[in-house]
Amino acid sequence: MPDISARARSLVFPPFDTLNQKATALRQAGHRVLTLGQAVPGFPPPPAALEAARHAVTEPDVHRYSADAGLLSLRQALCDRFREHLHVEATPDELIVTAGGNQAFMLTALTLLDPGDDVVLVAPYFVNHEMAIRAAGGVPIEAPAEERSGFRPRWSDLESHLTPRTRAVVLCSPSNPTGAVIARDELERTVYELANRGITLISDETYMHFVFDGTHHSAASMPSWKENVVVVGTFSKSFAMTGWRVGYLMANHRVCEQAIKIQDAMIICAPVISQKAVEAAVRHDWNYITRFHGELRQRRTVLRDGLARIPELQWEPAAGGFFAFVRIPDGQDSEPLAAAILDRAHVVTIPGASFGRCGERFLRLSYGAASVDELAEACGRLGEFFAALSG
């Protein structure tokens, strides 16, 4: 058997697949399982994307590689939309189209990090960010955001965790798993202070179209963003195209010049037919997902009201995302609790420990793909589960 690297051995596989496999087995055994686990939107892709994909099948170029950085027409369309909607000034040579947001982050980590570099993650953090940092040889450092402030990131939460070894800070806003949205003034200060220290801000803006209360502010909307900001994102959520695997990395062209070498070694280019479909959505339906905001707000309300009737659980809705990061009773470990809830109540939840040490006291529930009726039923089952647990 080949030797396995220490980096690979250091990675802890998230429990999502294990829980989903168990849920599948329960369904096959005849049980009705409700899924509040994986972060997926329960809506179809934009019609413009589907029509573009149908048409692209007949085009010879769609069956060949695109440029490593992605279709120039897609990158230009993205620059136009970022300028129009987010006040971001970027050019096509400052964008790389990737096979989803995770690959964009991995590409960023491999481009920026040397072995042993510290990377500070605002926590609770997205589990795949931590995995990518370790896989690239970096050292993840957890910087907990305060629960009493709704987990909204603040410069004061970050500053004490910076050292001479810090190469980058990772911010995810709106947050996965909490849904918290960073305030504009805190974002400005964070970009400014990190720039003064020569530290890169990696801003994951996957959920930028899922801000229900307030406005999304991009880290790249700062006038000097090209000095120290890298933005990663995906169209999996905003266009409900998780299986199409298209995302992006946006950075100073000098960063992209180096990242493109790793892109070529990893995947050459993102799937061309998927790029064609996404380009049509970018051009013709950029704000597609906002037409579902009313439905998502209704789901959030139903979940809030249902959880409020369970004394053992506490949750204050966040401004963005489609998650409930729910506090669980003291003394409960989130991983065995999530497993027990699935076994006994047949509801899929994600243990908070997946998102860092400070997530141990929580469960993440996703309402992106669950109907209002399913959410109400899930809350009823959770109420019965915790009542039996307490009794």
Side-chain angles (χ1 to χ4, degrees), residues 27-222:
R27 289 189 184 98
Q28 290 173 342
H31 298 286
R32 174 173 161 79
V33 179
L34 301 175
T35 298
L36 306 182
Q38 199 163 12
V40 294
F43 307 108
L50 299 178
E51 180 57 32
R54 281 190 286 267
H55 178 73
V57 170
T58 64
E59 299 177 4
D61 286 350
V62 85
H63 306 296
R64 306 187 181 101
Y65 300 128
S66 73
D68 287 10
L71 296 170
L72 177 59
S73 55
L74 171 55
R75 286 181 282 139
Q76 184 60 63
L78 284 171
C79 290
D80 294 342
R81 292 294 170 268
F82 290 152
R83 183 179 303 108
E84 178 183 358
H85 294 280
L86 298 174
H87 309 292
V88 171
E89 293 296 332
T91 58
D93 64 342
E94 293 166 332
L95 277 166
I96 297 176
V97 180
T98 61
N102 276 350
Q103 195 247 320
F105 191 91
M106 188 76 237
L107 182 59
T108 302
L110 291 171
T111 302
L112 297 182
L113 302 182
D114 287 318
D117 285 342
D118 285 354
V119 181
V120 175
L121 296 127
V122 177
Y125 53 68
F126 178 47
V127 58
N128 290 109
H129 289 164
E130 190 264 358
M131 293 176 69
I133 291 164
R134 289 191 184 278
V139 180
I141 306 295
E142 192 169 334
E146 290 191 357
E147 181 185 3
R148 63 183 179 183
S149 67
F151 297 107
R152 288 185 294 275
R154 300 179 300 182
W155 170 248
S156 58
D157 297 326
L158 289 168
E159 187 176 15
S160 63
H161 297 277
L162 305 178
T163 73
R165 297 185 305 276
T166 304
R167 178 65 67 91
V169 168
V170 179
L171 171 68
C172 183
S173 178
S175 164
N176 178 1
T178 69
V181 176
I182 191 170
R184 172 80 186 192
D185 58 343
E186 290 290 349
L187 181 60
E188 289 177 345
R189 185 176 182 190
T190 299
V191 172
Y192 173 79
E193 296 285 359
L194 293 179
N196 284 346
R197 292 163 172 79
I199 298 172
T200 299
L201 174 65
I202 305 172
S203 179
D204 186 333
E205 303 184 13
T206 290
Y207 294 92
M208 65 178 177
H209 281 102
F210 293 89
V211 178
F212 308 123
D213 306 317
T215 303
H216 171 71
H217 301 290
S218 174
S221 65
M222 310 301 154

Side-chain angles (χ1 to χ4, degrees), residues 87-91 94 191 201 218-231 250-253:
H87 309 292
V88 171
E89 293 296 332
T91 58
E94 293 166 332
V191 172
L201 174 65
S218 174
S221 65
M222 310 301 154
S224 60
W225 76 270
K226 297 179 187 181
E227 294 179 11
N228 74 316
V229 171
V230 176
V231 174
M250 182 166 60
N252 186 298
H253 75 276

